[in-house]
Amino acid sequence: MTTSRLSSGGAEIDRSSKISFKWNGKTVNGFEGDTIVSALAGSGHQLVSRSMKYHRKRGLLTADYWDPNCFVQVGDEPNVRAGHRKATNGMDISAQNVWPSLERDMKSANGLVGRFLTPGFYYKTFVRPQFLWPTYQKVLRTFAPGGAVDHQSQPLYFDKRYTHPDVVVAGAGPAGLAAATAAAEAGASVLLVEHDHAVGGHLRWGSDADRDEAARLEAAALAAGVEIMTDATVTGRYDHNWVSINQRSLHASVERLVKARAKVLVVAAGLVERPYVFAGNDALGVMTAGAARRLINLWGVKPGTTAVAMVANEHGDAAVADLEAAGVSVTSVVDGRNGEFVSSTTASKGALSSVTLGDGSTVDADLLITAVGWTAPTSLLNMAGDRPAYDETAARFFPTKLPPEVIPVGGLVGDGSTAQIIEHAAGVGRVAGATGISARRQLQAATTRAAVVDGAEPAIPAMPEPLGRDPHPELYRSDTHGMVDYSEDVSSKDLVAASKEGYDSVELMKRFTTVTMGPSQGKLETVNAVAVLAEARGETIEEVGTTVWRPPYAPISLGALGGRIFEPERVSPIHPWHEANGVTTILAGQWIRPDHYGDAQAEVTNVRNNVGIIDVTPLGKLDLRGPDVPKLLNLLYTNKWSKLAIGSVRYGVMCAEDGVVLDDGVTAHLGEDHYLMTTTSSGAAAIWEWAENWLQTERPHWQVHVTPVTTAYASINIAGPKSRELLSRLTDVDLANEAFGYMRVRTGTIGGVDDCIMWRIGFTGELSYEIHVPSGYALHVWEHLMSEGADLGIGAFGLEAQRIMRLEKGHFIVGQDTDGLTKAPTAGIGGLIKLDKDDFVGKTELSTLDVASLPVLVALQPVDGSVVPEEAAQIVLPDSNDIIGRITSSRFSPTLNRSVCLGQVEPSHAAAGNIVTVLLFSGERIPATVMEHHAHFDPEGARLRG
Amino acid sequence: MLIVPCPNCGPRNSADMRYGGESHSRPDPDSTPIEEWRNYLYMHDNPAGWLKETWYCGSGCRRYFTTERNTVTNQFREPAINYPEPGGSQ
Amino acid sequence: MADQLAFQSPVRSADVNEGPLTLVDLTATSSQTLVRGAESGLTPSFGHATRRDDGVLAAATRPDEWTLIGPLGDAGTIASSVTSEGFVTVIDQTHSRARFRLAGDTAAQALEKVCSIDLGDHMTPNGAVVSASVAKVTCDVLRDDVNSTRSYLVICDRSFADYLFSALSDAGAEFGLR
């Protein structure tokens, strides 16, 4: 065993609390506080995965969140970061994408054909022949990386939260902690976000003094009132400091997406240790110096027995000291500051066995640690518009230009002792705090409902003196080629080859080779890739530049993005009755509506013979008040409204400015300066906004109040020859035809409920009354109607029956029989377009239309009445598939015992009696007759007006 | 998610608003030549820079207003301007 | 006659009125009247609410619009108390709206899971009124603390009420609701 558990040490494990879990079916023991990787390493398990393309044996590299080859399946959860996830008792963990096992993975045969799996091979292979694509898909799927999705998994509980802190600090290392505390002490509300499970950053795996300092910093932050989130990642910074945070390890939910509007964002992301590129740099037992320090100091794990160390900074020196204190024999220290380097490794069965140094000598070892430098994870700053610049002396990128509300701190901006970093960060924190408070006060002052701003405006201190930058050797690639992107299996040789093929800009190289496109999103790979490309092009790193970083900073689960999935549902007050009476509902927009109660055809017949009632509550209803309402009606509708008498109702069509049909409905003149407009159900909200738009932006001097009352009333349509008889049993309003004729409106009491509105209109073509009953009492009235109508043969009917009946009568539905291009004359309402009116919406286009060239909406009847064409079936020329129209509505009519349709056809084919060809979805072509009227049934409308 | 300065409510998330597009005065339909009318209906300036545009504060005060926004930086010029008070006194 | 019929609330879930966080449906026990027009002379100014001497809660929910909330059945009385000089419209919204009260020390924390408005004391103090999306439904939210305990009146369109009540219960579950 190379790796093993030390008998003492490990700041984060609790040796008194043992845990055990399954790893590929075998039991592994560990301690509370272990990550999955540290527990595996502590038990001597080095092999964790197989690489993506070549299925090479892989193990830990960084022993932290970014570890590129430590993704495992935990139960039904795929792609778990084993370097970050805490191990718990009873976990069932397995390797991903291996067959038949991790040890004996047959897919490693990929390695043998590596020559043919050059970068971008998928652009060049698996292309022809095209008929094999489904096979290629199956093959490629089995080789795709990533874990398994269990389709039987139960959905988990994810949620969201909004927050408005004055300051968000991303990263809780010493700089982040100090900045957060200083900002909070200045009076700002502060949210501190740390992606690891504990705060303290690199102090946690440092010396005892470092750990004490971390504890002190944490206590100070808590005392100052900082809200701290651990196991949470700032995943993106958007416009105006809209910041997304993916928070885990909550009791209330599996993961939470926190959306923060931060006045100030302080980025304290620290530095990420960069791997070194050399041949065999992915052998088991090769790791960063930080990995070794974490294993020893956090989890009490001995990383190996015999080690070679390549170090180029103090952190590397400290790692060597930690190794020696842990009993590892460090046989060779290669100092990058003196130009020494590691050239290659040899491995036995994937595990490191010896290291060849730059001077040619070879050393036996089972552990190789590297400390060759740091990468600044500037992604969040990039998202704020920064384009970092490379500093050759310090061998890393630094931020250049940021908006004042985004402030980097700590390792991102310079180097220093812990005390210097803390002091600088505290100074930044004071600036951030004061800036945040000032921004909050401005927001308060600009917000009508907010509390009055009091107290003095805080003085914003000057930024502290910048931190210095320590020189560091530039160490990217050795004299051999090795892995650059471990998770995508992209080597430096691949990058050079891509460059030679012409993909020699950093953006092209990235997309062609997929380097940096894996789970660490460039944190470990970008700078090495840029350095290799610079070398291949004979340029500097600064000249080559970097790619653009976009959110998310780290991968985020779809569950977190989905959250609670708020999909509002709307129901009418009569819904409980529908549910209790066998309704089949349909979702129309957000409304749950009754579609039928078992037999729509029977419902139609019952309405035509007796009486039926339908709940049409979603019908848009707008209350219009004011002396200028007729002007509004004349503006929005194409027809004339000035002379509509009180108590009368008129039908109108609205067009958009381009003459396309927008909506239709009936509007009633209820009283002086009082009208009630109806719209289509789906148009209710849009037409309200449409009216407001015209009133506010073009006609602000008109005195009109438009108020939606769609849900103030339940709307019930009572239809059928016995409807008058039925309604008269519930109201004292005189319903005789002479007193209350077609297209009239009345108000009164129905079933004991005052303030109801009754309309005589007729979408179904039967004698019918549409009653609007105040919602709080509507269910009573519906039930009353049902009981009073029992001897009349009453039956409830739903949308499907209504659609059949309106189609029998040829009444078009906006959005069904018209579309986004249908101009008003097409719908057959040419008579409603009054071009002699003053300006109305659409007049200009309508007056210039060549009406004769427009498609015509016609009624159609398939010659074979038993065939019901599908809606949207195309109408074609008899001898070809040239389209001359389409079926817009189609049903079987129980009243006529045959199919009936509406459709749009080109004018040359729209003559009554013309036979057209309908192309059904099956490919069958059937003849259909163009009818004289839109109405298939009762074209004179005698039943309506009786 | 932009912060849009509603002149009534104060700064609000853009998700609380509906974007109304470029703000152009509606030409007089009776006297405007048809080509100019169609230009107004269908053509946009689409500048990379300052743009006068309309917003509707749908989840807030239900008022339309115009602002100037820089389409490159998403800065807003204050103040945003309400349309004249509806239901008008004058 | 309508007094003999029971006014039906759209909410089908039970109130949660025990425990540290409560959610109570007030729809069936309150009236709501909308008054539009600056010439009504009503106060307070947009974004604020006050309790009048007659117990009616007057909330300026939009510029030149006031929502008056009182006991069920009083909409008529409230309407006639509004001066009708000038261009003023009074509309009964008792039936078209649902009214809930969310109350408790954690009320703001529960609400901020479903609402993007800054509910802190600076931005939404006691007496503040704001129209906002709550769980994707546009609502009027009034902060109306009771005996120094954080409390919000949430008013939404009646048709969304059952859905919204459930969404609020779900958001408040971790704080003791449901």
Coordinates of all heavy atoms in Angstrom, one line a residue, chain A residues 238-240 242 261 443 446-448 657-658 688-689 692-694 696-704 839-840 843-845 848, chain B residues 1-3 8-11 13 18 26 29-30 34 37-38 40-42 56 62-64 74-76 83-88 90:
Chain A
Y238 N -23.6 38.5 -12.6 CA -24.3 39.0 -13.8 C -24.5 40.5 -13.7 O -24.0 41.1 -12.7 CB -25.7 38.3 -13.9 CG -25.5 36.7 -14.0 CD1 -25.5 36.0 -12.8 CD2 -25.5 36.1 -15.2 CE1 -25.4 34.6 -12.9 CE2 -25.4 34.7 -15.2 CZ -25.3 34.0 -14.1 OH -25.2 32.6 -14.1
D239 N -25.2 41.1 -14.6 CA -25.4 42.5 -14.6 C -25.7 43.1 -13.2 O -26.5 42.5 -12.5 CB -26.6 42.9 -15.5 CG -26.2 42.8 -17.0 OD1 -25.2 43.5 -17.4 OD2 -26.8 42.1 -17.8
H240 N -25.1 44.2 -13.0 CA -25.5 44.9 -11.7 C -25.3 44.1 -10.5 O -26.1 44.1 -9.6 CB -26.9 45.5 -11.8 CG -27.1 46.4 -13.0 ND1 -28.3 46.7 -13.6 CD2 -26.2 47.1 -13.8 CE1 -28.1 47.5 -14.6 NE2 -26.9 47.8 -14.8
W242 N -25.8 40.9 -9.9 CA -26.7 39.8 -9.6 C -25.8 38.6 -9.5 O -25.2 38.2 -10.4 CB -27.7 39.7 -10.8 CG -28.8 38.8 -10.7 CD1 -29.1 37.7 -11.5 CD2 -29.9 38.8 -9.7 NE1 -30.3 37.1 -11.1 CE2 -30.8 37.7 -10.0 CE3 -30.3 39.6 -8.6 CZ2 -32.0 37.4 -9.3 CZ3 -31.4 39.3 -7.9 CH2 -32.3 38.3 -8.3
R261 N -28.6 40.0 -4.8 CA -28.3 41.3 -5.4 C -27.4 42.0 -4.5 O -27.8 42.6 -3.5 CB -29.6 42.1 -5.6 CG -29.3 43.5 -6.3 CD -29.0 43.4 -7.7 NE -30.1 43.1 -8.5 CZ -30.0 42.9 -9.9 NH1 -28.9 43.0 -10.5 NH2 -31.1 42.7 -10.6
L443 N -30.3 53.5 -2.8 CA -31.4 52.7 -3.3 C -32.7 53.0 -2.4 O -33.8 53.2 -2.9 CB -31.1 51.2 -3.1 CG -32.0 50.2 -3.7 CD1 -32.1 50.4 -5.2 CD2 -31.4 48.8 -3.4
A446 N -34.2 56.2 -3.5 CA -34.9 56.2 -4.8 C -36.2 55.3 -4.8 O -36.9 55.3 -5.8 CB -33.9 55.6 -5.8
T447 N -36.4 54.7 -3.7 CA -37.6 53.7 -3.6 C -38.7 54.3 -2.8 O -38.5 54.6 -1.6 CB -37.1 52.4 -3.0 OG1 -36.0 51.9 -3.8 CG2 -38.2 51.4 -3.0
T448 N -39.9 54.4 -3.4 CA -41.0 55.1 -2.8 C -41.4 54.5 -1.4 O -41.7 55.2 -0.5 CB -42.2 55.1 -3.7 OG1 -41.7 55.1 -5.0 CG2 -43.1 56.2 -3.5
E657 N -51.2 47.1 -35.1 CA -50.9 48.1 -36.0 C -50.7 47.6 -37.5 O -50.8 48.4 -38.4 CB -49.6 48.9 -35.6 CG -49.9 49.8 -34.4 CD -50.2 51.2 -34.7 OE1 -51.1 51.5 -35.6 OE2 -49.5 52.1 -34.2
D658 N -50.3 46.4 -37.6 CA -50.0 45.9 -39.0 C -51.2 45.2 -39.6 O -51.1 44.5 -40.6 CB -48.8 44.9 -38.9 CG -49.1 43.7 -38.0 OD1 -50.2 43.6 -37.4 OD2 -48.2 42.8 -37.8
W688 N -55.6 43.7 -21.7 CA -55.6 44.8 -20.7 C -54.3 45.6 -20.8 O -54.4 46.8 -20.8 CB -55.6 44.1 -19.3 CG -55.3 45.0 -18.2 CD1 -55.9 46.3 -18.0 CD2 -54.6 44.8 -17.0 NE1 -55.4 46.9 -16.8 CE2 -54.6 46.0 -16.2 CE3 -53.8 43.7 -16.5 CZ2 -54.0 46.1 -15.0 CZ3 -53.2 43.8 -15.3 CH2 -53.2 45.0 -14.6
E689 N -53.2 45.0 -21.0 CA -51.9 45.7 -21.2 C -52.0 46.5 -22.5 O -51.4 47.6 -22.5 CB -50.8 44.7 -21.2 CG -49.6 45.2 -20.4 CD -48.3 44.4 -20.7 OE1 -48.2 43.3 -20.1 OE2 -47.5 44.8 -21.5
E692 N -53.9 49.6 -21.8 CA -53.1 50.5 -20.9 C -52.0 51.2 -21.7 O -51.7 52.4 -21.5 CB -52.5 49.7 -19.8 CG -53.5 49.4 -18.6 CD -54.0 50.7 -17.9 OE1 -53.2 51.7 -17.8 OE2 -55.1 50.7 -17.5
N693 N -51.4 50.4 -22.6 CA -50.4 51.0 -23.5 C -50.9 52.2 -24.3 O -50.3 53.2 -24.2 CB -49.9 49.9 -24.4 CG -48.6 50.2 -25.1 OD1 -48.2 51.4 -25.2 ND2 -47.9 49.2 -25.6
W694 N -52.0 52.0 -24.9 CA -52.6 53.1 -25.7 C -53.0 54.3 -24.8 O -52.7 55.4 -25.2 CB -53.7 52.6 -26.5 CG -53.2 51.8 -27.7 CD1 -53.1 50.5 -27.8 CD2 -52.7 52.4 -28.9 NE1 -52.6 50.1 -29.0 CE2 -52.3 51.3 -29.7 CE3 -52.5 53.7 -29.4 CZ2 -51.7 51.4 -31.0 CZ3 -52.0 53.8 -30.7 CH2 -51.6 52.7 -31.5
Q696 N -51.8 55.1 -21.8 CA -50.7 55.8 -21.1 C -49.8 56.5 -22.1 O -49.3 57.6 -21.8 CB -50.0 54.8 -20.2 CG -50.8 54.3 -19.0 CD -49.9 53.4 -18.2 OE1 -48.7 53.6 -18.1 NE2 -50.6 52.5 -17.5
T697 N -49.5 55.8 -23.2 CA -48.4 56.3 -24.0 C -48.9 57.2 -25.2 O -48.1 58.0 -25.7 CB -47.5 55.2 -24.6 OG1 -48.3 54.5 -25.6 CG2 -47.0 54.3 -23.5
E698 N -50.1 57.0 -25.6 CA -50.6 57.8 -26.8 C -51.8 58.7 -26.5 O -52.0 59.7 -27.1 CB -51.0 56.9 -27.9 CG -49.8 56.1 -28.5 CD -48.9 57.0 -29.3 OE1 -49.3 58.1 -29.8 OE2 -47.7 56.7 -29.5
R699 N -52.6 58.3 -25.5 CA -53.8 59.1 -25.2 C -54.0 59.4 -23.7 O -55.0 59.2 -23.1 CB -55.1 58.4 -25.7 CG -55.1 58.0 -27.2 CD -55.4 59.2 -28.0 NE -55.6 58.9 -29.4 CZ -54.6 58.8 -30.3 NH1 -53.4 59.1 -30.0 NH2 -54.9 58.5 -31.6
P700 N -52.9 60.0 -23.1 CA -53.0 60.2 -21.6 C -54.0 61.2 -21.2 O -54.4 61.2 -20.0 CB -51.6 60.7 -21.3 CG -51.0 61.2 -22.6 CD -51.7 60.4 -23.7
H701 N -54.5 62.0 -22.1 CA -55.5 63.0 -21.7 C -56.9 62.4 -21.7 O -57.9 63.1 -21.2 CB -55.5 64.2 -22.6 CG -55.5 63.7 -24.1 ND1 -54.4 63.2 -24.7 CD2 -56.5 63.8 -25.0 CE1 -54.8 62.9 -26.0 NE2 -56.0 63.3 -26.2
W702 N -57.2 61.2 -22.1 CA -58.5 60.6 -22.1 C -58.8 60.2 -20.6 O -58.0 59.6 -19.9 CB -58.6 59.4 -23.0 CG -58.7 59.7 -24.4 CD1 -58.7 60.9 -25.0 CD2 -58.7 58.7 -25.5 NE1 -58.8 60.8 -26.4 CE2 -58.8 59.4 -26.7 CE3 -58.7 57.3 -25.5 CZ2 -58.8 58.8 -27.9 CZ3 -58.8 56.7 -26.8 CH2 -58.8 57.5 -28.0
Q703 N -60.0 60.4 -20.2 CA -60.4 59.9 -18.9 C -61.1 58.6 -19.0 O -62.3 58.4 -19.3 CB -61.4 60.9 -18.3 CG -60.8 62.3 -18.0 CD -61.6 63.1 -17.1 OE1 -62.8 63.1 -17.1 NE2 -60.9 63.8 -16.2
V704 N -60.2 57.5 -18.8 CA -60.7 56.1 -18.9 C -60.0 55.4 -17.8 O -58.8 55.5 -17.6 CB -60.3 55.5 -20.3 CG1 -60.8 54.0 -20.3 CG2 -60.9 56.3 -21.4
D839 N -58.8 57.6 -36.9 CA -57.7 56.7 -36.6 C -58.1 55.6 -35.7 O -58.6 55.9 -34.6 CB -56.5 57.5 -36.0 CG -55.3 56.7 -35.6 OD1 -55.1 55.7 -36.3 OD2 -54.7 57.0 -34.6
F840 N -57.9 54.4 -36.1 CA -58.0 53.3 -35.2 C -56.8 52.3 -35.5 O -56.1 52.4 -36.5 CB -59.3 52.5 -35.3 CG -59.5 51.8 -36.6 CD1 -59.1 50.5 -36.8 CD2 -60.3 52.5 -37.6 CE1 -59.4 49.9 -38.1 CE2 -60.5 51.8 -38.8 CZ -60.0 50.5 -39.1
K843 N -55.7 50.7 -38.9 CA -56.4 51.4 -40.1 C -55.5 51.6 -41.2 O -55.8 51.3 -42.4 CB -57.0 52.7 -39.6 CG -57.7 53.5 -40.7 CD -58.3 54.8 -40.2 CE -58.9 55.6 -41.4 NZ -59.3 56.9 -41.0
T844 N -54.3 52.1 -41.0 CA -53.4 52.4 -42.1 C -53.1 51.1 -42.9 O -53.2 51.2 -44.2 CB -52.0 52.9 -41.5 OG1 -52.3 53.7 -40.4 CG2 -51.3 53.7 -42.5
E845 N -52.7 50.0 -42.3 CA -52.5 48.8 -43.1 C -53.7 48.3 -43.7 O -53.7 47.9 -44.9 CB -51.9 47.7 -42.2 CG -50.4 47.9 -41.9 CD -49.5 47.8 -43.1 OE1 -49.8 47.1 -44.0 OE2 -48.5 48.6 -43.2
T848 N -54.7 50.0 -46.9 CA -53.9 49.8 -48.1 C -53.8 48.3 -48.6 O -53.1 48.0 -49.5 CB -52.4 50.2 -47.8 OG1 -51.9 49.4 -46.7 CG2 -52.3 51.7 -47.4
Chain B
M1 N -29.6 39.8 -15.1 CA -30.8 40.4 -14.5 C -30.5 41.9 -14.2 O -29.8 42.2 -13.2 CB -31.2 39.7 -13.2 CG -32.2 40.4 -12.5 SD -33.9 40.1 -13.1 CE -34.2 38.7 -12.1
L2 N -30.9 42.7 -15.1 CA -30.7 44.2 -15.0 C -31.5 44.8 -13.8 O -32.5 44.2 -13.4 CB -31.1 44.9 -16.2 CG -30.5 44.5 -17.6 CD1 -31.0 45.4 -18.6 CD2 -29.0 44.7 -17.5
I3 N -31.0 45.9 -13.3 CA -31.8 46.7 -12.4 C -32.3 47.8 -13.3 O -31.5 48.6 -13.8 CB -31.0 47.3 -11.2 CG1 -30.4 46.1 -10.4 CG2 -31.9 48.2 -10.4 CD1 -29.6 46.6 -9.2
N8 N -41.5 55.3 -10.6 CA -42.5 55.3 -9.5 C -42.0 54.4 -8.4 O -42.0 54.8 -7.2 CB -43.9 54.8 -10.0 CG -44.4 55.7 -11.1 OD1 -44.5 56.9 -11.0 ND2 -44.7 55.1 -12.2
C9 N -41.7 53.2 -8.7 CA -41.3 52.2 -7.7 C -39.9 52.4 -7.2 O -39.6 51.9 -6.1 CB -41.5 50.8 -8.2 SG -43.1 50.4 -8.9
G10 N -39.1 52.9 -8.0 CA -37.6 52.8 -7.7 C -37.0 51.7 -8.5 O -37.7 51.1 -9.3
P11 N -35.7 51.5 -8.3 CA -35.0 50.4 -9.1 C -35.6 49.1 -8.8 O -35.8 48.7 -7.7 CB -33.6 50.5 -8.6 CG -33.5 51.9 -8.0 CD -34.8 52.2 -7.5
N13 N -35.9 44.7 -10.4 CA -35.4 43.7 -11.3 C -36.1 43.8 -12.7 O -37.3 44.0 -12.8 CB -35.6 42.3 -10.8 CG -34.6 42.0 -9.6 OD1 -33.6 42.7 -9.4 ND2 -34.9 41.0 -8.9
R18 N -41.8 44.4 -18.4 CA -41.8 43.9 -19.7 C -41.1 44.9 -20.6 O -41.4 46.1 -20.5 CB -43.2 43.6 -20.2 CG -43.3 42.8 -21.5 CD -44.7 42.6 -22.0 NE -45.4 43.8 -22.2 CZ -45.2 44.6 -23.3 NH1 -44.3 44.3 -24.2 NH2 -45.9 45.7 -23.4
R26 N -45.1 57.9 -32.3 CA -46.0 57.3 -33.4 C -46.3 58.5 -34.3 O -46.9 59.5 -33.9 CB -47.2 56.8 -32.7 CG -48.2 56.1 -33.7 CD -49.3 55.5 -32.9 NE -50.3 54.8 -33.7 CZ -51.5 55.2 -34.0 NH1 -51.9 56.4 -33.6 NH2 -52.2 54.4 -34.8
P29 N -50.9 58.9 -38.4 CA -51.2 57.9 -39.5 C -51.9 58.5 -40.7 O -51.8 58.0 -41.8 CB -52.1 56.9 -38.8 CG -52.5 57.5 -37.5 CD -51.6 58.6 -37.2
D30 N -52.6 59.6 -40.5 CA -53.4 60.2 -41.6 C -52.5 60.9 -42.6 O -52.7 61.0 -43.8 CB -54.4 61.2 -41.1 CG -55.5 60.4 -40.3 OD1 -55.8 59.3 -40.7 OD2 -56.1 60.9 -39.4
I34 N -46.8 56.1 -46.6 CA -46.9 54.7 -46.1 C -45.5 54.1 -45.9 O -45.3 53.3 -45.0 CB -47.7 53.8 -47.2 CG1 -48.0 52.5 -46.6 CG2 -47.0 53.7 -48.5 CD1 -49.0 52.5 -45.5
W37 N -44.4 55.2 -42.5 CA -45.2 54.5 -41.6 C -44.7 53.0 -41.3 O -44.6 52.6 -40.2 CB -46.7 54.4 -42.0 CG -47.6 53.6 -41.1 CD1 -48.0 52.3 -41.3 CD2 -48.1 54.0 -39.9 NE1 -48.8 51.9 -40.3 CE2 -48.9 52.9 -39.4 CE3 -48.0 55.2 -39.1 CZ2 -49.5 53.0 -38.1 CZ3 -48.6 55.2 -37.9 CH2 -49.4 54.2 -37.4
R38 N -44.4 52.4 -42.4 CA -43.9 51.0 -42.3 C -42.5 51.0 -41.6 O -42.1 50.1 -40.9 CB -43.8 50.3 -43.6 CG -45.2 50.1 -44.2 CD -45.3 49.0 -45.2 NE -46.7 48.7 -45.5 CZ -47.3 48.8 -46.6 NH1 -46.6 49.1 -47.7 NH2 -48.6 48.5 -46.8
Y40 N -41.6 53.0 -39.3 CA -41.9 53.1 -37.9 C -42.4 51.8 -37.3 O -42.0 51.4 -36.2 CB -43.0 54.2 -37.7 CG -43.9 54.0 -36.4 CD1 -43.3 54.3 -35.2 CD2 -45.2 53.5 -36.5 CE1 -44.1 54.1 -34.0 CE2 -45.9 53.4 -35.4 CZ -45.4 53.7 -34.1 OH -46.2 53.5 -33.0
L41 N -43.2 51.0 -38.1 CA -43.7 49.7 -37.6 C -42.6 48.7 -37.5 O -42.6 47.9 -36.6 CB -44.8 49.2 -38.6 CG -46.2 49.5 -38.3 CD1 -47.1 48.6 -39.2 CD2 -46.6 49.3 -36.8
Y42 N -41.7 48.6 -38.5 CA -40.9 47.4 -38.6 C -39.4 47.7 -38.4 O -38.7 46.7 -38.1 CB -41.1 46.8 -40.0 CG -42.5 46.3 -40.2 CD1 -43.3 47.0 -41.2 CD2 -43.1 45.3 -39.5 CE1 -44.6 46.5 -41.4 CE2 -44.4 44.9 -39.7 CZ -45.1 45.5 -40.7 OH -46.4 45.1 -40.9
Y56 N -42.4 48.5 -19.3 CA -43.7 48.5 -18.6 C -43.5 47.8 -17.3 O -43.0 46.6 -17.2 CB -44.7 47.7 -19.4 CG -46.0 47.4 -18.8 CD1 -46.9 48.5 -18.4 CD2 -46.4 46.1 -18.5 CE1 -48.1 48.2 -17.8 CE2 -47.7 45.9 -17.9 CZ -48.5 46.9 -17.5 OH -49.7 46.7 -16.9
R62 N -47.5 49.1 -12.8 CA -48.3 49.0 -14.0 C -48.3 50.3 -14.9 O -49.2 50.7 -15.5 CB -49.8 48.7 -13.7 CG -50.0 47.7 -12.7 CD -49.9 46.3 -13.2 NE -50.7 45.4 -12.3 CZ -50.3 44.9 -11.2 NH1 -49.1 45.1 -10.7 NH2 -51.1 44.1 -10.5
R63 N -47.1 51.0 -14.8 CA -47.0 52.2 -15.7 C -45.9 51.9 -16.7 O -44.9 51.2 -16.5 CB -46.6 53.4 -14.8 CG -47.6 53.8 -13.8 CD -48.7 54.6 -14.5 NE -49.7 55.1 -13.6 CZ -50.8 54.4 -13.2 NH1 -51.1 53.3 -13.8 NH2 -51.6 54.9 -12.3
Y64 N -46.2 52.6 -17.9 CA -45.1 52.6 -18.9 C -44.2 53.8 -18.6 O -44.6 54.9 -18.2 CB -45.8 52.8 -20.3 CG -46.4 51.6 -20.8 CD1 -47.7 51.2 -20.4 CD2 -45.7 50.7 -21.7 CE1 -48.3 50.0 -20.9 CE2 -46.3 49.6 -22.2 CZ -47.6 49.2 -21.8 OH -48.2 48.1 -22.2
N74 N -25.0 48.5 -20.4 CA -26.2 48.4 -19.6 C -26.4 49.4 -18.5 O -27.1 49.2 -17.5 CB -26.3 46.9 -19.0 CG -26.9 46.0 -20.0 OD1 -27.7 46.4 -20.9 ND2 -26.6 44.7 -19.8
Q75 N -25.6 50.5 -18.6 CA -25.9 51.6 -17.7 C -27.2 52.3 -18.1 O -27.5 52.4 -19.3 CB -24.8 52.7 -18.0 CG -23.8 52.9 -16.9 CD -22.8 54.0 -17.4 OE1 -22.2 53.8 -18.4 NE2 -22.8 55.1 -16.7
F76 N -27.9 52.8 -17.1 CA -29.1 53.6 -17.3 C -28.8 55.1 -17.0 O -28.1 55.4 -16.1 CB -30.2 53.1 -16.4 CG -30.9 51.9 -16.9 CD1 -30.4 50.6 -16.5 CD2 -32.0 51.9 -17.8 CE1 -31.0 49.5 -17.0 CE2 -32.6 50.8 -18.2 CZ -32.1 49.5 -17.8
Y83 N -44.7 58.6 -18.6 CA -45.6 59.2 -19.5 C -46.4 60.2 -18.7 O -46.5 60.0 -17.5 CB -46.4 58.2 -20.3 CG -45.6 57.5 -21.4 CD1 -44.8 56.4 -21.2 CD2 -45.5 58.1 -22.7 CE1 -44.0 55.8 -22.2 CE2 -44.7 57.6 -23.7 CZ -44.0 56.4 -23.4 OH -43.3 55.9 -24.4
P84 N -47.1 61.1 -19.3 CA -48.0 62.0 -18.6 C -49.0 61.2 -17.7 O -49.4 60.1 -18.1 CB -48.7 62.8 -19.6 CG -47.9 62.7 -20.8 CD -47.1 61.4 -20.8
E85 N -49.4 61.8 -16.6 CA -50.3 61.1 -15.7 C -51.6 60.7 -16.5 O -52.2 61.5 -17.1 CB -50.8 62.1 -14.6 CG -49.9 61.9 -13.4 CD -49.7 60.5 -13.0 OE1 -50.7 59.8 -12.6 OE2 -48.6 59.9 -13.0
P86 N -51.9 59.4 -16.4 CA -53.1 58.9 -17.1 C -54.4 59.4 -16.5 O -54.4 59.8 -15.4 CB -53.0 57.4 -17.0 CG -52.1 57.1 -15.9 CD -51.2 58.3 -15.7
G87 N -55.4 59.3 -17.3 CA -56.8 59.7 -16.8 C -56.9 61.2 -16.7 O -57.7 61.7 -16.0
G88 N -56.1 61.9 -17.3 CA -55.6 63.2 -17.2 C -56.4 64.3 -16.7 O -57.6 64.5 -17.0
Q90 N -54.9 67.4 -17.3 CA -54.8 68.2 -18.5 C -54.2 67.4 -19.6 O -53.2 66.8 -19.5 CB -54.1 69.5 -18.4 CG -53.2 69.9 -17.3 CD -53.5 69.6 -15.8 OE1 -54.3 68.9 -15.4 NE2 -52.8 70.2 -15.1

